[in-house]
Amino acid sequence: MFLKNLSLTNYRNYESLSLSFDGQIQLFIGNNAQGKTNVLESIYVLALAKSHRTPRDKELIGWEADYAAIRSDVLRRYGSVRLELQLTAKGKRAKINGMEQQKLSAYVGALNVVMFAPEDLSIVKGAPAQRRRFIDMEIGQVSPTYLYYLSNYNKVLAQRNQLLKDLGMKKSNSLEMLAIWNTQLADLAVKLLRKRFEFIRKLETWAQEIHTGITDGRELLSLHYQNSSPVTEEMSAEQAVDQLLAAYEEVRDREIMRGSTMIGPHRDDFSLKMNNMDVQTYGSQGQQRTSALSIKLAEIELIKEEVGEYPVLLLDDVLSELDEHRQTLLLETIKDRVQTFVSTTGVEGLKHQVLQQASRFYVKEGKISGER
């Protein structure tokens, strides 16, 4: 997978930008708050139709502009694909080879990316919502049906929560309607859970191998899905739905009192353990950082396994956060295989041969000078 070019219109602090890429590594160099991260973010948004930095699309649109647009020609193993994404106050319009996609789930996956930024340590030590978002975004890249089920799940969940609130406030007494929402939610929840179980299992396989290499075999990393429901990976779909429906019945009175759904994928989490020690709670900063790096490198290999080619890698000001050993491991992993975009404030500490051969772009106040 290879981005041949990138065009931005009214995207954050870029009124108009057009870049071409021919090398494997692209270095964006400049002081903070100049627009380096905005370039990498735009590639992420082009791929996933949402930002890793903000849930509000209007923040991506330039000051006093009505819309923002991102375009790129992406070289895939089956040929070149033109991707276009337009952001407005009313929503998004996504096109593949000039054809507008009616659903974003049909668009996401045309370009696969892995983003690694300092805030990605939140995967290890952040709140459960951050890890759920990580799972949803990564599975969605390789499984459009997952995004479809997730969208429907969130719609049904909102309807069920509203009914629970109405029941609690005596605005409704329709337990029959609750039973209907239960059936729909359980069916969608099981579809999501089966995908999540599979994803965590595959991610663990890759992450364990990588982590063992980083630590010279001293540490064994394991991932554990933390389920708020009684559903297990071994259950058939029918058994899982039955278990969920029984669980909904068991907590029904408490849910009505709270006005929210207490069980399901929207409440789940996953944990990381190192030699059976919880990394989030007891791991040192170095161990947490190594775990995050292992997860990110595992993502690259997992996407390659799923789609048949490597994703584009986005390293947003992260190399300075890694010591020389971790830098070397990361750069040797991507060498000659993964097109990589790197943002950095300077190149003084980046001595690896891979970076010496990179194309360089200098960023200042939303302007990018010619590569040198």
Side-chain angles (χ1 to χ4, degrees):
M1 216 166 290
F2 190 93
L3 265 68
K4 295 193 287 186
N5 48 52
L6 179 69
S7 172
L8 303 180
T9 305
N10 300 328
Y11 187 88
R12 289 204 184 259
N13 67 331
Y14 292 101
E15 185 177 341
S16 179
L17 177 68
S18 183
L19 299 173
S20 296
F21 311 117
D22 52 17
Q24 200 72 10
I25 311 291
Q26 325 295 325
L27 269 178
F28 290 85
I29 305 163
N31 294 328
N32 291 327
Q34 302 301 303
K36 304 185 307 295
T37 292
N38 293 346
V39 175
L40 272 64
E41 178 194 42
S42 72
I43 299 171
Y44 186 94
V45 173
L46 182 67
L48 290 159
K50 60 176 66 178
S51 170
H52 67 295
R53 298 158 74 194
T54 175
R56 293 177 289 276
D57 288 345
K58 67 179 182 179
E59 293 181 16
L60 309 179
I61 301 172
W63 186 251
E64 294 186 344
D66 296 326
Y67 75 98
I70 313 167
R71 302 176 189 86
S72 180
D73 293 300
V74 182
L75 188 62
R76 300 286 307 255
R77 58 193 171 96
Y78 50 76
S80 185
V81 180
R82 166 154 286 206
L83 301 181
E84 301 174 65
L85 186 68
Q86 188 176 96
L87 310 166
T88 70
K90 295 181 179 179
K92 306 179 182 80
R93 294 179 62 190
K95 294 181 181 180
I96 300 177
N97 291 332
M99 295 184 62
E100 187 165 347
Q101 306 299 300
Q102 297 305 310
K103 294 184 177 179
L104 286 175
S105 59
Y107 169 83
V108 174
L111 168 63
N112 301 123
V113 299
V114 169
M115 166 72 81
F116 193 17
E119 60 264 27
D120 282 318
L121 281 173
S122 64
I123 296 172
V124 177
K125 61 183 182 180
Q130 292 168 302
R131 285 183 289 280
R132 285 194 295 270
R133 174 182 164 82
F134 163 75
I135 290 176
D136 290 339
M137 298 298 282
E138 300 315 318
I139 301 177
Q141 285 203 71
V142 296
S143 175
T145 56
Y146 182 86
L147 290 179
Y148 174 76
Y149 293 141
L150 180 64
S151 175
N152 287 345
Y153 179 88
N154 288 331
K155 290 173 185 175
V156 174
L157 178 67
Q159 297 276 10
R160 187 178 189 271
N161 284 343
Q162 186 58 56
L163 179 57
L164 289 171
K165 290 186 179 80
D166 290 345
L167 288 167
M169 297 173 68
K170 308 300 183 185
K171 292 182 178 180
S172 172
N173 61 359
S174 180
L175 294 179
E176 295 82 3
M177 193 66 221
L178 184 61
I180 292 172
W181 290 132
N182 286 355
T183 301
Q184 291 187 25
L185 196 66
D187 181 64
L188 290 164
V190 168
K191 287 180 168 65
L192 295 179
L193 286 170
R194 289 165 77 86
K195 283 286 188 183
R196 286 187 179 185
F197 291 151
E198 179 186 25
F199 172 76
I200 290 293
R201 183 166 24 88
K202 288 183 177 180
L203 190 68
E204 180 187 59
T205 299
W206 284 110
Q208 276 185 346
E209 181 180 336
I210 292 164
H211 195 89
T212 298
I214 298 175
T215 62
D216 296 322
R218 295 189 304 272
E219 296 170 351
L220 177 66
L221 182 68
S222 58
L223 277 59
H224 303 269
Y225 191 82
Q226 297 180 327
N227 200 341
S228 61
S229 77
V231 175
T232 65
E233 190 170 2
E234 295 72 31
M235 291 178 182
S236 68
E238 293 77 11
Q239 289 172 326
V241 168
D242 289 343
Q243 287 288 328
L244 265 174
L245 290 174
Y248 292 151
E249 282 298 313
E250 187 176 330
V251 298
R252 185 182 70 187
D253 291 344
R254 278 186 287 158
E255 287 188 331
I256 290 173
M257 188 182 305
R258 293 187 181 190
S260 64
T261 302
M262 297 168 55
I263 295 171
H266 64 289
R267 299 293 298 269
D268 294 351
D269 194 3
F270 74 91
S271 63
L272 296 92
K273 292 187 177 180
M274 193 179 294
N275 295 342
N276 292 319
M277 175 192 73
D278 187 276
V279 181
Q280 286 106 314
T281 305
Y282 301 108
S284 67
Q285 187 176 33
Q287 288 173 322
Q288 291 175 343
R289 197 159 287 175
T290 301
S291 299
L293 176 59
S294 298
I295 291 292
K296 286 296 170 179
L297 293 177
E299 272 187 79
I300 293 172
E301 298 298 340
L302 193 153
I303 290 176
K304 167 65 163 59
E305 179 184 320
E306 292 292 320
V307 305
E309 55 189 318
Y310 283 108
V312 170
L313 179 62
L314 309 172
L315 300 177
D316 184 18
D317 206 21
V318 76
L319 288 179
S320 60
E321 296 283 318
L322 302 175
D323 60 27
E324 188 174 343
H325 174 61
R326 294 182 180 91
Q327 267 192 37
T328 298
L329 185 113
L330 171 59
L331 295 170
E332 285 295 327
T333 299
I334 65 176
K335 185 179 179 182
D336 300 327
R337 294 193 295 173
V338 182
Q339 187 187 27
T340 304
F341 293 78
V342 182
S343 70
T344 181
T345 54
V347 296
E348 296 76 18
L350 309 179
K351 297 181 171 54
H352 196 279
Q353 182 183 1
V354 170
L355 297 177
Q356 301 306 313
Q357 300 167 349
S359 300
R360 299 188 179 190
F361 299 87
Y362 293 86
V363 185
K364 186 175 182 180
E365 297 177 354
K367 305 291 183 183
I368 299 183
S369 66
E371 48 198 289
R372 292 187 280 173

